[in-house]
Amino acid sequence: MVFRIVQRELGLLILLCAITIPLFLFTRSIAARNRARSSEIAAIWYQRGQQQLRAANTQQAIDSFRHATTNDHDNSDYTLALSTALAAEDHIEEARQALLRLRASAPENGEINLNLARLAARDGKMPDALRYYHNALFGIWPADRMASQRTKVRTELVRFLLAAGDKSQALSELLILSSDTPDNGPARNNVGQLFLEAGDSQHALDQFTGSVRLNAKDPDALSGAGHASFNLGDYRRARRYLEAAIDNGSRSPDVQKLLETAKFVLSRDPLAPRLGTEERVRRLTEDLKFVLDELQSCIINKQDDENSLLVLEPLLAELADGLKSQFQPKALRRDAEGFRTGLNLIQRSETATSQICGESSALHNALLLIGEKYGVTEQ
């Protein structure tokens, strides 16, 4: 009796399995087919969104990427594309939330952290931006892009810091970046330019001269080296590099103006070494006459501005009196200190015309630089 019951139960179990297993396999097949179909639909929406982005139809791209993420919410590429498009349309918080959901499952993903850093930077949230940039720097990237992506992220971080006015931290990152810079002209020029923007002209010069060694006719490297040399007060070297940059195709107005200023510093400095007394006298006299003309012009433009005239007119009177007495050639030959006194007056006058009348020219700037060179404003 018991045997019959067991036999019957066993038969029922076999029958149940015979029915259930095919049904399970069928259901799983349908589910897999549905997932595959959803993935295909998501891919179509994603491609459509990319096309719409290229056509500058960002809002339509957002809708397409939403469809893509809805059909395949496990694909991080689709969520990244959606967050980028949302950010482009100023939906910053929605973009951030989408990225944070992604980051929750992949906190070391370099690209996710980089996108979060960009959103924080755009929102002016400096601590968050720095944290995410550093997470991106040391995050996970495809092995074949690891080095290039870290260079790209650090460069972006430096630009962010410079834009935020944090030159000190930017320089710290730049020094690391320069040690990882590939030994090619464009890379060195890029880092050199960043050093210039950060106010470190010596490291900038090192990068640009390294680039010049690789290609002596690179106008970008030559102009960068000229700019760095100019900032360092080496005007002869600056002139050589800037002239070479122009000879090799640079048409930058900044290079032209910098070269003109450097030439004036070299040709109008009355205290330059190895000059005869007569040449010193000639230079100072010409400089003083130029400043006299600028002061007179500035006073004419500010006739109705009493506060400006209170500054300018005493300088003009001091200059006119000096040209009749202590700055006369005979007086300068007797008392060499008159040259420094003259440069001091030039510095004070040129500073005043800059502030009051906005005067600016290559010679004007050169005279200010000559005064700074000798520290005459300390008198």
Side-chain angles (χ1 to χ4, degrees):
M1 184 68 178
V2 174
F3 175 74
R4 288 180 181 177
I5 293 173
V6 171
Q7 191 178 35
R8 186 178 65 188
E9 292 295 327
L10 184 60
L12 287 172
L13 181 61
I14 292 171
L15 178 63
L16 186 61
C17 288
I19 294 171
T20 305
I21 290 174
L23 184 61
F24 169 75
L25 293 173
F26 174 76
T27 303
R28 190 172 70 171
S29 173
I30 293 297
R33 196 175 301 170
N34 285 339
R35 284 196 300 271
R37 179 60 180 158
S38 293
S39 294
E40 290 175 5
I41 293 172
I44 292 170
W45 280 113
Y46 176 71
Q47 292 300 327
R48 183 176 297 176
Q50 294 287 11
Q51 292 171 358
Q52 289 163 338
L53 272 186
R54 288 192 288 271
N57 298 321
T58 310
Q59 189 56 56
Q60 294 178 19
I62 290 174
D63 295 337
S64 295
F65 291 141
R66 286 193 200 278
H67 286 301
T69 55
T70 300
N71 282 277
D72 189 354
H73 53 77
D74 293 329
N75 192 313
S76 61
D77 289 340
Y78 300 165
T79 306
L80 280 171
L82 173 60
S83 66
T84 301
L86 286 168
E89 285 292 292
D90 290 326
H91 303 308
I92 304 298
E93 192 53 38
E94 189 178 355
R96 182 182 290 110
Q97 291 305 318
L99 289 169
L100 287 173
R101 286 193 294 271
L102 272 182
R103 190 178 185 274
S105 58
E108 296 182 350
N109 183 285
E111 190 164 3
I112 293 171
N113 279 290
L114 177 58
N115 279 276
L116 281 167
R118 288 169 175 169
L119 288 182
R122 183 169 172 175
D123 239 7
K125 298 178 178 178
M126 191 164 185
D128 289 344
L130 289 176
R131 184 174 76 255
Y132 286 127
Y133 269 124
H134 283 117
N135 287 340
L137 272 173
F138 302 107
I140 297 172
W141 297 92
D144 61 334
R145 294 194 292 131
M146 182 76 75
S148 63
Q149 283 299 119
R150 285 183 174 172
T151 298
K152 177 182 175 183
V153 172
R154 200 178 298 278
T155 300
E156 192 171 313
L157 171 57
V158 169
R159 293 190 187 283
F160 165 68
L161 290 167
L162 288 174
D166 191 344
K167 290 187 176 182
S168 176
Q169 194 164 346
L171 279 171
S172 297
E173 296 291 346
L174 258 175
L175 290 170
I176 299 172
L177 179 62
S178 64
S179 66
D180 296 332
T181 302
D183 194 21
N184 64 65
R188 283 185 171 275
N189 290 345
N190 180 57
V191 174
Q193 186 60 42
L194 290 173
F195 270 122
L196 276 182
E197 292 174 25
D200 188 338
S201 294
Q202 185 56 62
H203 278 103
L205 182 60
D206 293 342
Q207 291 296 323
F208 287 124
T209 52
S211 183
V212 170
R213 283 194 294 271
L214 295 169
N215 180 3
K217 295 185 177 182
D218 181 349
D220 292 332
L222 291 164
S223 60
H227 197 158
S229 299
F230 185 96
N231 290 350
L232 291 167
D234 190 345
Y235 300 108
R236 291 190 184 280
R237 192 178 191 186
R239 182 178 65 183
R240 289 198 302 271
Y241 278 127
L242 294 169
E243 286 176 340
I246 293 170
D247 290 343
N248 284 282
S250 175
R251 294 294 177 266
S252 167
D254 291 338
V255 171
Q256 296 276 0
K257 187 171 183 179
L258 214 58
L259 174 59
E260 189 178 2
T261 303
K263 286 181 175 178
F264 275 131
V265 171
L266 294 170
S267 65
R268 301 292 286 262
D269 179 359
L271 295 183
R274 294 184 295 278
L275 287 182
T277 301
E278 294 308 311
E279 177 60 16
R280 294 185 192 281
V281 170
R282 187 191 68 78
R283 290 187 179 193
L284 182 64
T285 302
E286 286 191 1
D287 294 344
L288 290 167
K289 288 179 178 178
F290 172 81
V291 173
L292 179 69
D293 290 341
E294 279 203 331
L295 275 172
Q296 290 173 332
S297 174
C298 190
I299 287 171
I300 290 171
N301 291 332
K302 296 293 180 179
Q303 279 296 323
D304 299 326
D305 185 344
E306 291 185 7
N307 290 330
S308 295
L309 294 178
L310 286 173
V311 175
L312 297 170
E313 288 181 338
L315 288 170
L316 180 64
E318 185 179 350
L319 183 55
D321 290 343
L323 284 170
K324 295 175 182 177
S325 57
Q326 67 185 118
F327 303 137
Q328 280 286 308
K330 288 183 180 180
L332 290 170
R333 293 188 192 103
R334 287 195 305 270
D335 182 11
E337 190 59 27
F339 292 102
R340 293 187 65 84
T341 303
L343 282 179
N344 175 269
L345 178 54
I346 288 171
Q347 182 83 351
R348 289 185 286 119
S349 300
E350 292 295 83
T351 300
T353 54
S354 290
Q355 294 172 346
I356 295 172
C357 290
E359 292 290 348
S360 180
S361 67
L363 181 51
H364 172 93
N365 295 333
L367 292 177
L368 286 173
L369 289 170
I370 292 169
E372 291 173 10
K373 178 180 178 181
Y374 297 107
V376 294
T377 52
E378 297 175 3
Q379 291 189 2

